Every structure is written in C-alpha cells, then in structure tokens.
Amino acid sequence: MFAQTAVRLRGAKWLIATSLFLILNGCVDKPSTLEKVKEDGVLRVITRNSPATYFQDRNGETGFEYELVKRFADDLGVKLEIETADNLDDLFGQVGKPNGPVLAAAGLVSSDQRKQQVRFSHPYLEVTPQVIYRNGQARPTDASDLVGKHIMVLKGSTHAEQLAQLKKQYPGIQYEESDAVEVVDLLRMVDEGQIDLTLVDSNEVSMNQVYFPNVRVAFDLGDARDQRWAVAAGEDNSLLNEINGFIDKVQKNGTLQRLKDRYYGHVDVLGYVGAYTFAQHLQQRLPKFEKNFHASAKTEQLDWRLLAAIGYQESMWQADVTSKTGVRGLMMLTQNTAQAMGVSNRLDPKQSISGGAKYFAYVRDQLDDKIAEPDRTWFALAAYNVGSGHLDDARKLAENEGLNPNKWLDVKKMLPRLAQKQWYRKTRYGYARGGEPVHFVANIRRYYDILTWVTQPQLEGSQVAESNLHVPGVDKTKPTQETPPL
Ligand code: BLG
C-alpha cells in the first residue's frame, strides 16, 4: 500500500516535471518574429499608395519603399506581400497584429507619440517638412503666417504633431486633420485653392510638383528628419535587428544611394516652370500623338510612355520643329537616321515617331549584352542622343577609371569628359557634347515616371481624373491668379 503510494507520488512528480519541462521548452521554442517570417516564407509589409512609396507602374509594383523592402525580403529568402493602408492611424494600428503586417515602410518619421505604438529602424532617407501654398497667394514666410489660414494635414501625421506644438505658441493657428486623403490629395487641394496651406515632406513635394503646377514651397518647417521603417512596439528585436543590419548594409554597399538616385535623383530636373509646362502639354499636345506612340511602341515592343517621353524631350510634342543643326521633327531625327529608318518626311509626326521608335530599338539591341535593365534603357537613350560611338568612348573612360562601364550611374559621370580636350583627344570618336545625353536621359526618365504615374489604371478613376490631368480638352493648368514665373 505504502509502496504503491510512493510509486504513484513518484509518478506524479515525474509527470509534473515533464509537463513543466514541456511548458518551459514550449516557451523557448516559440518562434521569434524573424523565425516566423522565415517559416511562413512571407514578409508582410504595410505601406501607402503614393508616387514616393508604392504604386503600380509599367512593370508592376514599384516605388522607393517597395524596392527597398523587396530587397530585404529577397535577402531573407521570402516572398513579399504588400498591403496599403487607407490612413496613418490604420497603418500604425495594423503593424504587428496576428497574421498582419510585421513591418511598416511608408516614408515614416519617428515621433514621441508614434514611439508608444511602434519601434523605428535605423534611418534610410532624410527629408524636410515644408509648408505648401498656392502660386499667386501671398507667400507665408514663418510660422506666424499660418494664423488665419485654412490648413489641412494627414490625420495622425507628424505634420499634425508639429502644428499642435506650434498652436501652443500661436493659438490662432487652425488646422484640419483628415484621414480620407493622401499626400497627393493635399497637394491637389492647395493647387485648386480648396485649402490655403498644407505640410508635406520635401521628397513628396518635389516628386509631385509636376502634377500640381500651382503648388509652391513657402518655407521649411523645422529641421530635416529621418525616414525609418517601423515594427510593432512588442516585437522581440529579432526582426528589428535584421532590418537594421540590412539598412546598414545597403547604406554601405551603395544600393541605397542607387535607389535614391533612381527615385529622387532626377526629381528636380524640371523645376516649377518645366513642371507647369509639362502638365499643360500633357493635356493639350499629347492627345494628338498618343495613338501614334501606341502603334509604334507595339511594333517595336516598347513602352509607349517611354517613346512619348523621348518625344517630349525632343520637341515638346511638336511635329514641325527644326534645330540649328538641321535635326527635325517630333522625334528629332538627323537626316542620316531618317534615311536609315526609311523616313521620307521627318515633319510627318507619324513617320517621325515610327522612325524614332525603330532607331531606339535598334541602338538598344546594339548595346553590349553585359548592360542589364534598367540601365540598358538609359544607355539606349544616351546612344539615341549622342550616338553609339561616343557612348562607347565614355564606357572606355569609365573602365580606365576603375568604374563599371555597364552601369549608367558610372558612365554618366564620364560623358561630360567627351567635351574636354584632355580626355577626348585620346578617345576613338573624339569630341562630343557629352553633357547633353546626361540631361537628355535625366529628363526623359522624369517624363517617363510622370507618364507612368498619370496613366496607371488604379488612378484613372481617382486622383488624376479628379485633377483633370491627362484628360483631353480640359485645361485645368491655367493659373487663376498669376502666370507662371518665366
Ligand atoms: C543624334 C542621332 C544619332 C547620332 C547623334 O545625333 O541626333 N539620333 C537621331 O537621329 C535619333 O543617330 O548618332 S550617330 O549616327 O552615331 O552619329 C550624333 O550625331 C537628336 C540627336 C542630336 C540632337 N537630337 C536626337 O536626340 C540634336 O537635335 N542636337 C542639335 C541641338 S542644337 O542644334 O544645338 O539645337
């Protein structure tokens, strides 16, 4: 009897110990956020739909944040799943929810208020908050000028926090916080005079300037701030550490710089006047030639928006232009090129566009196989403008300098040397105005980006349609107060 009890007790002890062991072991075994991501094979990310973060383009998903986060997912060896939040509160509320996104990548800056909800990564981009007003109105120059104005900002944004702070000093400041809008809507509302002012980060302002020709920067509100990714406040550090390691890595190996160059490096090439003019021509001139761009793009298997961007750079979509050097027509073909492409009348826009498309496809096919996309497109544009021979000279100069002759970022540094005797006297094809193709490519990339954004299907019913951009026959770019600065 006693012996039996002892056995039973020993058995119970064993059971308790085993259970304890299993429970404890179970706790230790609970996968970390990072392990869970890897186990699931999916990195779930939440962002916003805007030109500066994430949108659909010619090849599918794109945007600065998308590209960065895609590289992170690739490094982890997992798939990337993106969802977009309607507003910032929703975005912060979703991060870290069970089966929800583990990471927010949406041009976010850290603030005390936000730190209660999320933890921020190392920084990857510096931006400055800017006060935006409408051309033709009195330009505000400091915070006291915000008093008495109709101001709107995104609900839950750091801009709203900034205004709340300023209000302590200037109680007359009134502002509205909206959760039904995106940054592009705020800019449109200023552009159309629905609100007086808004606050937007500098990168978004320069990227969107062209869609809203009447918006102007009044002044920088405060110092530059860093954009960072965010994970849930309770995240166990496994993911955040991995993110920080990744950001440090792309910072060091130049990937981040290349992305900045790609997305923001050419955003200011147009300036106010260029942005204003482009927006006007988008409505008034492009519709006349759009079907020709579509047809030639189809024949040559190119993106019609790239062709249209070349056409804008060459002639601002005018069929009857002639340069000092006798280069003519909408796509600015030289006599030789026109002949080679079978163009009999360079002033016929249909012929010019088809000849230009054929020539672009031809120079692109001639390029060294080692030049991969997207650089291949930029090299082909440069060859279209300066000729393949001079482009090869610049590639050789790059090689001699220890740079990569297959990267546009490197070769574009060498092209201007073709105009300097100390360099061109040693090249095969000699002197060329090498600075021209650099501007040529930068401008076309910008026009291409804009055309891509305004023609993306998801926008056709919303922002673009509302702002009447790219809608034939509606000229909303006419300033109501003042003509643009010239
Ligand atoms: C390009 C030709 C290239 C040619 C280069 O010039 O024209 N491209 C086209 O005709 C489409 O074929 O390369 S080459 O055949 O290997 O020599 C170099 O000669 C045209 C360029 C010239 C430029 N726009 C297309 O980008 C132009 O118009 N320059 C004149 C400017 S102005 O007269 O000073 O205003």
Side-chain angles (χ1 to χ4, degrees), residues 271-314:
Y272 285 137
V273 181
Y276 174 84
T277 313
F278 184 82
Q280 245 185 349
H281 292 161
L282 199 58
Q283 292 173 22
Q284 294 166 355
R285 297 183 180 174
L286 179 61
K288 283 187 271 179
F289 308 113
E290 206 172 316
K291 66 172 188 318
N292 301 124
F293 286 123
H294 277 282
S296 295
K298 202 166 167 210
T299 312
E300 303 301 335
Q301 297 190 316
L302 300 168
D303 186 328
W304 78 269
R305 293 163 294 197
L306 179 67
L307 278 188
I310 301 175
Y312 191 74
Q313 171 62 23
E314 293 291 9

Short mmCIF file of all heavy atoms in Angstrom, two decimals, residues 271-314:
data_model
loop_
_atom_site.label_atom_id
_atom_site.label_comp_id
_atom_site.label_asym_id
_atom_site.label_seq_id
_atom_site.Cartn_x
_atom_site.Cartn_y
_atom_site.Cartn_z
N GLY A 271 11.91 71.56 -62.36
CA GLY A 271 11.68 72.86 -61.73
C GLY A 271 10.22 73.28 -61.90
O GLY A 271 9.43 72.58 -62.52
N TYR A 272 9.87 74.44 -61.35
CA TYR A 272 8.47 74.90 -61.41
C TYR A 272 7.99 75.11 -62.84
O TYR A 272 6.91 74.69 -63.23
CB TYR A 272 8.33 76.24 -60.67
CG TYR A 272 8.36 76.12 -59.18
CD1 TYR A 272 9.08 77.03 -58.42
CD2 TYR A 272 7.66 75.11 -58.53
CE1 TYR A 272 9.12 76.94 -57.05
CE2 TYR A 272 7.70 75.01 -57.16
CZ TYR A 272 8.42 75.92 -56.41
OH TYR A 272 8.45 75.82 -55.07
N VAL A 273 8.81 75.81 -63.62
CA VAL A 273 8.37 76.19 -64.95
C VAL A 273 8.18 74.94 -65.81
O VAL A 273 7.16 74.75 -66.46
CB VAL A 273 9.40 77.13 -65.63
CG1 VAL A 273 8.92 77.53 -67.01
CG2 VAL A 273 9.60 78.37 -64.76
N GLY A 274 9.19 74.04 -65.73
CA GLY A 274 9.11 72.80 -66.50
C GLY A 274 7.92 71.96 -66.09
O GLY A 274 7.22 71.40 -66.92
N ALA A 275 7.69 71.89 -64.79
CA ALA A 275 6.59 71.08 -64.27
C ALA A 275 5.26 71.65 -64.76
O ALA A 275 4.37 70.93 -65.20
CB ALA A 275 6.63 71.06 -62.75
N TYR A 276 5.16 72.96 -64.69
CA TYR A 276 3.94 73.64 -65.11
C TYR A 276 3.68 73.41 -66.60
O TYR A 276 2.59 73.03 -67.02
CB TYR A 276 4.07 75.14 -64.82
CG TYR A 276 2.91 75.92 -65.34
CD1 TYR A 276 1.74 76.04 -64.60
CD2 TYR A 276 2.97 76.53 -66.60
CE1 TYR A 276 0.67 76.74 -65.10
CE2 TYR A 276 1.90 77.23 -67.11
CZ TYR A 276 0.74 77.33 -66.35
OH TYR A 276 -0.32 78.01 -66.84
N THR A 277 4.74 73.60 -67.39
CA THR A 277 4.61 73.47 -68.84
C THR A 277 4.27 72.03 -69.22
O THR A 277 3.42 71.79 -70.06
CB THR A 277 5.93 73.88 -69.52
OG1 THR A 277 6.36 75.10 -68.94
CG2 THR A 277 5.77 74.07 -71.00
N PHE A 278 4.94 71.09 -68.57
CA PHE A 278 4.68 69.69 -68.90
C PHE A 278 3.22 69.34 -68.63
O PHE A 278 2.56 68.69 -69.45
CB PHE A 278 5.61 68.76 -68.11
CG PHE A 278 5.44 67.31 -68.48
CD1 PHE A 278 6.08 66.80 -69.59
CD2 PHE A 278 4.63 66.47 -67.74
CE1 PHE A 278 5.91 65.46 -69.97
CE2 PHE A 278 4.45 65.14 -68.10
CZ PHE A 278 5.11 64.64 -69.21
N ALA A 279 2.72 69.77 -67.48
CA ALA A 279 1.34 69.46 -67.13
C ALA A 279 0.38 70.03 -68.18
O ALA A 279 -0.62 69.39 -68.54
CB ALA A 279 1.01 70.04 -65.75
N GLN A 280 0.70 71.20 -68.70
CA GLN A 280 -0.14 71.81 -69.75
C GLN A 280 -0.08 71.01 -71.04
O GLN A 280 -1.10 70.71 -71.65
CB GLN A 280 0.43 73.20 -70.03
CG GLN A 280 -0.52 74.28 -69.66
CD GLN A 280 0.05 75.63 -70.08
OE1 GLN A 280 1.22 75.77 -70.46
NE2 GLN A 280 -0.78 76.63 -70.02
N HIS A 281 1.13 70.65 -71.43
CA HIS A 281 1.30 69.93 -72.69
C HIS A 281 0.73 68.52 -72.64
O HIS A 281 0.32 67.98 -73.66
CB HIS A 281 2.79 69.90 -73.08
CG HIS A 281 3.31 71.25 -73.44
ND1 HIS A 281 4.65 71.56 -73.45
CD2 HIS A 281 2.66 72.39 -73.79
CE1 HIS A 281 4.80 72.83 -73.79
NE2 HIS A 281 3.61 73.36 -73.99
N LEU A 282 0.70 67.98 -71.46
CA LEU A 282 0.13 66.65 -71.26
C LEU A 282 -1.33 66.65 -71.73
O LEU A 282 -1.81 65.68 -72.31
CB LEU A 282 0.20 66.32 -69.76
CG LEU A 282 0.09 64.90 -69.28
CD1 LEU A 282 1.16 64.03 -69.90
CD2 LEU A 282 0.22 64.87 -67.76
N GLN A 283 -2.01 67.74 -71.48
CA GLN A 283 -3.41 67.82 -71.88
C GLN A 283 -3.58 68.32 -73.30
O GLN A 283 -4.46 67.89 -74.02
CB GLN A 283 -4.14 68.83 -71.01
CG GLN A 283 -4.30 68.43 -69.61
CD GLN A 283 -4.88 69.60 -68.84
OE1 GLN A 283 -5.50 70.49 -69.38
NE2 GLN A 283 -4.66 69.59 -67.56
N GLN A 284 -2.74 69.30 -73.66
CA GLN A 284 -3.01 70.00 -74.92
C GLN A 284 -2.35 69.36 -76.13
O GLN A 284 -2.86 69.45 -77.23
CB GLN A 284 -2.55 71.45 -74.80
CG GLN A 284 -3.37 72.21 -73.78
CD GLN A 284 -2.74 73.53 -73.40
OE1 GLN A 284 -1.62 73.84 -73.82
NE2 GLN A 284 -3.44 74.32 -72.61
N ARG A 285 -1.18 68.73 -75.92
CA ARG A 285 -0.46 68.22 -77.08
C ARG A 285 -0.42 66.70 -77.19
O ARG A 285 -0.54 66.15 -78.28
CB ARG A 285 0.99 68.75 -77.07
CG ARG A 285 1.05 70.25 -77.20
CD ARG A 285 2.48 70.75 -77.25
NE ARG A 285 2.51 72.19 -77.37
CZ ARG A 285 3.61 72.92 -77.33
NH1 ARG A 285 4.79 72.34 -77.18
NH2 ARG A 285 3.56 74.23 -77.44
N LEU A 286 -0.22 66.03 -76.06
CA LEU A 286 -0.06 64.57 -76.12
C LEU A 286 -1.23 63.87 -76.81
O LEU A 286 -1.01 62.98 -77.63
CB LEU A 286 0.19 63.98 -74.71
CG LEU A 286 0.33 62.46 -74.67
CD1 LEU A 286 1.52 61.98 -75.51
CD2 LEU A 286 0.48 61.96 -73.23
N PRO A 287 -2.50 64.28 -76.52
CA PRO A 287 -3.62 63.54 -77.13
C PRO A 287 -3.53 63.44 -78.66
O PRO A 287 -3.96 62.46 -79.24
CB PRO A 287 -4.84 64.35 -76.69
CG PRO A 287 -4.41 65.01 -75.42
CD PRO A 287 -2.96 65.33 -75.60
N LYS A 288 -2.92 64.45 -79.29
CA LYS A 288 -2.84 64.44 -80.77
C LYS A 288 -1.96 63.30 -81.28
O LYS A 288 -2.12 62.84 -82.40
CB LYS A 288 -2.22 65.77 -81.26
CG LYS A 288 -3.18 66.93 -81.23
CD LYS A 288 -2.53 68.16 -81.88
CE LYS A 288 -1.77 68.95 -80.83
NZ LYS A 288 -1.08 70.13 -81.28
N PHE A 289 -0.98 62.90 -80.46
CA PHE A 289 0.01 61.92 -80.95
C PHE A 289 -0.06 60.58 -80.22
O PHE A 289 0.69 59.67 -80.55
CB PHE A 289 1.42 62.50 -80.82
CG PHE A 289 1.56 63.86 -81.45
CD1 PHE A 289 1.81 64.99 -80.66
CD2 PHE A 289 1.43 64.01 -82.82
CE1 PHE A 289 1.92 66.24 -81.24
CE2 PHE A 289 1.55 65.26 -83.40
CZ PHE A 289 1.79 66.38 -82.61
N GLU A 290 -0.94 60.52 -79.23
CA GLU A 290 -0.93 59.33 -78.37
C GLU A 290 -1.10 58.04 -79.15
O GLU A 290 -0.40 57.05 -78.91
CB GLU A 290 -2.03 59.48 -77.31
CG GLU A 290 -1.72 58.69 -76.07
CD GLU A 290 -2.69 58.97 -74.92
OE1 GLU A 290 -3.01 60.15 -74.67
OE2 GLU A 290 -3.13 58.00 -74.30
N LYS A 291 -2.01 58.04 -80.15
CA LYS A 291 -2.24 56.78 -80.88
C LYS A 291 -1.01 56.40 -81.71
O LYS A 291 -0.72 55.22 -81.89
CB LYS A 291 -3.52 56.84 -81.70
CG LYS A 291 -3.55 57.81 -82.85
CD LYS A 291 -4.85 57.58 -83.65
CE LYS A 291 -4.90 58.37 -84.95
NZ LYS A 291 -4.45 59.76 -84.92
N ASN A 292 -0.26 57.40 -82.19
CA ASN A 292 0.97 57.08 -82.93
C ASN A 292 2.02 56.45 -82.01
O ASN A 292 2.72 55.52 -82.40
CB ASN A 292 1.57 58.34 -83.58
CG ASN A 292 0.61 58.99 -84.56
OD1 ASN A 292 0.28 60.15 -84.44
ND2 ASN A 292 0.12 58.22 -85.51
N PHE A 293 2.11 56.98 -80.78
CA PHE A 293 3.06 56.38 -79.82
C PHE A 293 2.66 54.94 -79.52
O PHE A 293 3.50 54.06 -79.48
CB PHE A 293 3.11 57.20 -78.53
CG PHE A 293 3.85 58.51 -78.66
CD1 PHE A 293 3.24 59.72 -78.35
CD2 PHE A 293 5.18 58.53 -79.09
CE1 PHE A 293 3.93 60.92 -78.47
CE2 PHE A 293 5.88 59.73 -79.21
CZ PHE A 293 5.24 60.93 -78.90
N HIS A 294 1.37 54.73 -79.33
CA HIS A 294 0.89 53.37 -79.03
C HIS A 294 1.23 52.42 -80.18
O HIS A 294 1.76 51.33 -79.95
CB HIS A 294 -0.64 53.38 -78.84
CG HIS A 294 -1.06 53.79 -77.46
ND1 HIS A 294 -1.00 52.93 -76.39
CD2 HIS A 294 -1.56 54.95 -76.98
CE1 HIS A 294 -1.44 53.56 -75.30
NE2 HIS A 294 -1.78 54.80 -75.64
N ALA A 295 0.95 52.86 -81.40
CA ALA A 295 1.14 51.98 -82.55
C ALA A 295 2.62 51.64 -82.73
O ALA A 295 2.98 50.46 -82.89
CB ALA A 295 0.59 52.65 -83.81
N SER A 296 3.50 52.66 -82.67
CA SER A 296 4.93 52.39 -82.88
C SER A 296 5.52 51.57 -81.74
O SER A 296 6.39 50.73 -81.94
CB SER A 296 5.71 53.70 -83.00
OG SER A 296 5.29 54.37 -84.15
N ALA A 297 5.02 51.82 -80.52
CA ALA A 297 5.51 51.06 -79.37
C ALA A 297 5.17 49.59 -79.56
O ALA A 297 5.97 48.71 -79.26
CB ALA A 297 4.88 51.60 -78.10
N LYS A 298 3.98 49.35 -80.08
CA LYS A 298 3.54 47.97 -80.28
C LYS A 298 4.44 47.29 -81.32
O LYS A 298 4.93 46.18 -81.09
CB LYS A 298 2.09 47.98 -80.75
CG LYS A 298 1.40 46.69 -80.50
CD LYS A 298 -0.10 46.81 -80.65
CE LYS A 298 -0.70 45.42 -80.71
NZ LYS A 298 -1.91 45.37 -81.52
N THR A 299 4.68 47.97 -82.41
CA THR A 299 5.51 47.40 -83.48
C THR A 299 6.91 47.05 -82.96
O THR A 299 7.46 46.01 -83.27
CB THR A 299 5.67 48.42 -84.64
OG1 THR A 299 4.37 48.92 -84.95
CG2 THR A 299 6.29 47.79 -85.85
N GLU A 300 7.48 47.96 -82.18
CA GLU A 300 8.87 47.76 -81.73
C GLU A 300 8.95 47.09 -80.36
O GLU A 300 10.04 46.97 -79.80
CB GLU A 300 9.61 49.11 -81.67
CG GLU A 300 9.65 49.88 -82.97
CD GLU A 300 10.32 49.13 -84.11
OE1 GLU A 300 11.16 48.24 -83.83
OE2 GLU A 300 9.99 49.39 -85.26
N GLN A 301 7.81 46.73 -79.81
CA GLN A 301 7.74 46.13 -78.47
C GLN A 301 8.42 46.99 -77.41
O GLN A 301 9.31 46.56 -76.68
CB GLN A 301 8.34 44.73 -78.48
CG GLN A 301 7.56 43.82 -79.40
CD GLN A 301 7.97 42.39 -79.25
OE1 GLN A 301 9.15 42.07 -79.19
NE2 GLN A 301 7.01 41.50 -79.21
N LEU A 302 7.98 48.24 -77.39
CA LEU A 302 8.50 49.19 -76.39
C LEU A 302 7.32 49.69 -75.56
O LEU A 302 6.17 49.45 -75.91
CB LEU A 302 9.14 50.39 -77.09
CG LEU A 302 10.33 50.11 -78.01
CD1 LEU A 302 10.65 51.33 -78.85
CD2 LEU A 302 11.54 49.69 -77.19
N ASP A 303 7.61 50.39 -74.49
CA ASP A 303 6.57 51.01 -73.68
C ASP A 303 6.22 52.35 -74.34
O ASP A 303 7.11 53.19 -74.54
CB ASP A 303 7.13 51.23 -72.26
CG ASP A 303 6.07 51.74 -71.30
OD1 ASP A 303 5.16 52.47 -71.74
OD2 ASP A 303 6.17 51.42 -70.10
N TRP A 304 4.95 52.56 -74.66
CA TRP A 304 4.57 53.78 -75.39
C TRP A 304 4.92 55.04 -74.58
O TRP A 304 5.24 56.09 -75.14
CB TRP A 304 3.09 53.78 -75.76
CG TRP A 304 2.13 54.11 -74.64
CD1 TRP A 304 1.55 53.24 -73.78
CD2 TRP A 304 1.67 55.42 -74.27
NE1 TRP A 304 0.75 53.90 -72.89
CE2 TRP A 304 0.79 55.25 -73.17
CE3 TRP A 304 1.88 56.71 -74.75
CZ2 TRP A 304 0.15 56.32 -72.54
CZ3 TRP A 304 1.24 57.77 -74.13
CH2 TRP A 304 0.39 57.58 -73.04
N ARG A 305 4.92 54.89 -73.25
CA ARG A 305 5.20 56.07 -72.41
C ARG A 305 6.67 56.47 -72.49
O ARG A 305 7.01 57.64 -72.37
CB ARG A 305 4.77 55.79 -70.97
CG ARG A 305 3.26 55.66 -70.88
CD ARG A 305 2.83 55.00 -69.60
NE ARG A 305 3.27 53.61 -69.53
CZ ARG A 305 2.76 52.73 -68.69
NH1 ARG A 305 1.83 53.08 -67.84
NH2 ARG A 305 3.21 51.49 -68.68
N LEU A 306 7.53 55.48 -72.73
CA LEU A 306 8.95 55.81 -72.91
C LEU A 306 9.12 56.58 -74.23
O LEU A 306 9.81 57.60 -74.29
CB LEU A 306 9.80 54.55 -72.91
CG LEU A 306 11.30 54.78 -73.13
CD1 LEU A 306 11.91 55.54 -71.95
CD2 LEU A 306 12.05 53.47 -73.34
N LEU A 307 8.44 56.10 -75.28
CA LEU A 307 8.51 56.79 -76.56
C LEU A 307 7.96 58.20 -76.45
O LEU A 307 8.53 59.15 -76.97
CB LEU A 307 7.65 56.05 -77.60
CG LEU A 307 8.24 54.85 -78.29
CD1 LEU A 307 7.29 54.40 -79.39
CD2 LEU A 307 9.61 55.19 -78.88
N ALA A 308 6.83 58.33 -75.75
CA ALA A 308 6.22 59.65 -75.57
C ALA A 308 7.17 60.56 -74.80
O ALA A 308 7.28 61.75 -75.08
CB ALA A 308 4.89 59.51 -74.85
N ALA A 309 7.87 59.98 -73.82
CA ALA A 309 8.82 60.77 -73.03
C ALA A 309 9.98 61.25 -73.91
O ALA A 309 10.41 62.40 -73.81
CB ALA A 309 9.35 59.94 -71.86
N ILE A 310 10.45 60.39 -74.82
CA ILE A 310 11.51 60.81 -75.75
C ILE A 310 10.97 61.95 -76.62
O ILE A 310 11.62 62.98 -76.81
CB ILE A 310 11.98 59.64 -76.65
CG1 ILE A 310 12.51 58.47 -75.82
CG2 ILE A 310 13.03 60.12 -77.65
CD1 ILE A 310 12.87 57.22 -76.63
N GLY A 311 9.76 61.76 -77.11
CA GLY A 311 9.15 62.77 -77.98
C GLY A 311 9.01 64.11 -77.28
O GLY A 311 9.20 65.16 -77.88
N TYR A 312 8.71 64.06 -75.98
CA TYR A 312 8.56 65.33 -75.26
C TYR A 312 9.92 66.01 -75.11
O TYR A 312 10.06 67.22 -75.30
CB TYR A 312 7.91 65.14 -73.89
CG TYR A 312 7.54 66.48 -73.30
CD1 TYR A 312 6.46 67.18 -73.81
CD2 TYR A 312 8.31 67.08 -72.30
CE1 TYR A 312 6.14 68.46 -73.34
CE2 TYR A 312 8.00 68.34 -71.82
CZ TYR A 312 6.92 69.02 -72.34
OH TYR A 312 6.61 70.28 -71.89
N GLN A 313 10.93 65.22 -74.77
CA GLN A 313 12.27 65.78 -74.60
C GLN A 313 12.77 66.39 -75.92
O GLN A 313 13.39 67.44 -75.94
CB GLN A 313 13.23 64.69 -74.11
CG GLN A 313 14.70 65.07 -74.10
CD GLN A 313 15.00 66.24 -73.17
OE1 GLN A 313 14.25 66.50 -72.23
NE2 GLN A 313 16.07 66.96 -73.46
N GLU A 314 12.46 65.72 -77.02
CA GLU A 314 12.98 66.17 -78.31
C GLU A 314 12.29 67.42 -78.83
O GLU A 314 12.94 68.32 -79.34
CB GLU A 314 12.84 65.05 -79.36
CG GLU A 314 13.71 63.83 -79.11
CD GLU A 314 15.20 64.10 -79.32
OE1 GLU A 314 15.58 65.27 -79.49
OE2 GLU A 314 15.99 63.15 -79.30
#
